[in-house]
Each structure stands twice: as C-alpha cells, then as structure tokens.
Amino acid sequence: MQPVLDLVGVSKTFTLHLQGGLSLPAVDDVSFAVHAGECVVLAGPSGAGKSSILKMIYGNYRCDAGRILLRHDGTTTDVARAAPRTMLRLRRTAIGYVSQFLRAVPRVAAIDVVAEAAAHQDDDLAQAEDAAACLLRRLNIAERLLKVPPATFSGGEQQRVNIARGFLPDMPVLLLDEPTASLDAANRAVVVDLIAEKKRQGTAIVAVVHDDDVRTTIADTVVDITPHARRAA
C-alpha cells in the first residue's frame, strides 16, 4: 500500500537578508513516509528543523529541494511545488494542523473557532457547532467558556482550543507540533486518546513531541532528522 505522505530528500535553508545574506541550514535531506493509521514522530535536538518540516508539509514554508508527495482522492500532489490555491484547498480537505500557538480572530467565541474548521467540510453549521462543543468539553473546557473568545483563556486552555480545531475535521493527514506541551497530565491523556482514535480512523499523523512518555505511547515510527544520526543509520 502506498503511503499517504511521502517526503523525499527534503531540504530547507533560510537566508537572513538583514545579516548580509547569511545562510542558515534548517533541514538537510530528510526522507520518510507515513501510511494511513500510522503516527510518525520526528526526533532531534531543538533547532534540528522538526517544526520546519511540519510547516513545509502544510505549505507555510517552501522547501529548497526534495518532494513532499500527498496522496488524496486518487491524486498525488507535490506540496513542495503546489500553487497557493492548491494549498488552500488541501488545507480545507486533506491536512489538519495543530501548531504550537493558537491563532484566532479576536472576539470570536471558542466554539466558533473550532466549528469553523469543520464547516469547511460540511455546510451544516449547527452540526459542526455541536461536534465542536462536544470535543471542547472532552478537552475540559468549561461550559461557561464555550461562548467566550479564547484570547482571554490561559495558555493551557488556548492550546486545548487549538487541539480541538485541528482534530475536529476528518482529514487524511494530521500534523501535530507539541500538542501536549502546556497541558497537565489529565489533558495529556485526553490528547493521547484522541490521537489513538485518529489512528484507528486511518489518519496519517506526523508529530513533534518532547514528552518521552507521550512519544512512546503514540509513535509507530520515530524518525531522527539529525543529519549525523541519519548517516549512522
């Protein structure tokens, strides 16, 4: 069976124009594949480029070399070369993303922030709101906060809204960037359960997780993107 996501020789270098054009290598010749129902966890020290890889898969960053092949609805798209309009469509239909920080329009209620992500796939807004409320409650967001803008929430509460927004849509690919970093033990356990459910549903997951216990629990494959580690392998 072909993988849902296939990275082949992906590299990225940042050019610091305000520093005289200084080149800063971020990702060097990384290759790995993710199949349906599999969770690949990226490993390596801070600054190795783990989050940059997620951003390249999502299309926020362009890679300088390599291919990022996404197989969806019977077609294969090279995200590394996809047009902006194509990437917008894939974000609505194929790629979910939980970033490290919640970015939402001010004064929009938490339930609407989450429901909007699912409404892209289903015109039934009321159904999306019901599903959003259910997931937020599962993530221990108090009922009184559902209609409150998350800008007023604590860091941990904001991250749980962020998680709900990424997990609610039924996407074939899900990218997770430190989803449990600011959570207590009870809410980490909820997220681990949600990841297990996504895997059973056939979602291909790429995650960056620094918590050793969480990594051990969710990972089917660990890919060390540190260049010397890949050479040794």
Side-chain angles (χ1 to χ4, degrees):
M1 181 182 297
Q2 285 188 315
V4 177
L5 190 65
D6 201 356
L7 277 71
V8 183
V10 171
S11 298
K12 175 68 177 176
T13 297
F14 293 101
T15 301
L16 307 181
H17 296 288
L18 296 180
Q19 300 293 328
L22 176 68
S23 293
L24 186 64
V27 177
D28 179 31
D29 193 26
V30 169
S31 299
F32 63 87
V34 194
H35 290 81
E38 180 184 19
C39 179
V40 170
V41 174
L42 304 182
S46 179
K50 300 183 295 295
S51 294
S52 293
I53 289 173
L54 297 187
K55 290 175 181 176
M56 284 189 280
I57 297 171
Y58 198 62
N60 283 348
Y61 289 170
R62 284 288 191 181
C63 57
D64 299 325
R67 293 177 294 163
I68 301 174
L69 304 178
L70 173 63
R71 297 178 176 90
H72 174 57
D73 278 348
T75 63
T76 300
T77 303
D78 186 354
V79 170
R81 293 164 179 80
R85 181 174 296 182
T86 300
M87 286 311 308
L88 289 174
R89 175 177 56 80
L90 290 175
R91 291 173 185 176
R92 289 193 298 267
T93 62
I95 310 173
Y97 182 32
V98 177
S99 62
Q100 292 186 35
F101 305 102
L102 175 66
R103 294 176 176 85
V105 178
R107 295 185 293 279
V108 175
I111 190 171
D112 295 325
V113 169
V114 176
E116 186 269 342
H120 283 310
Q121 297 182 311
D122 191 341
D123 292 333
D124 190 340
L125 182 58
Q127 183 175 333
E129 289 179 346
D130 287 345
C134 182
L135 186 51
L136 287 167
R137 293 186 191 105
R138 185 173 175 184
L139 286 161
N140 297 307
I141 298 296
E143 189 76 25
R144 61 183 174 80
L145 296 179
L146 297 185
K147 296 291 187 178
V148 176
T152 64
F153 293 3
S154 70
E157 289 168 336
Q158 288 189 16
Q159 183 61 358
R160 280 177 272 154
V161 173
N162 201 25
I163 290 165
R165 181 168 64 175
F167 273 78
L168 185 59
D170 184 17
M171 303 287 197
V173 174
L174 181 58
L175 311 176
L176 305 176
D177 196 352
E178 290 290 350
T180 61
S182 59
L183 303 185
D184 58 24
N187 284 303
R188 283 198 301 273
V190 173
V191 174
V192 167
D193 287 344
L194 289 172
I195 292 171
E197 290 175 11
K198 285 291 187 184
K199 289 168 62 176
R200 288 194 294 270
Q201 293 166 8
T203 303
I205 301 173
V206 185
V208 176
V209 181
H210 286 145
D211 186 299
D212 290 339
D213 292 337
V214 173
R215 182 190 301 114
T216 300
T217 302
I218 70 172
D220 298 293
T221 304
V222 176
V223 175
D224 191 338
I225 65 168
T226 309
H228 68 77
R230 288 184 280 113
R231 284 195 296 268

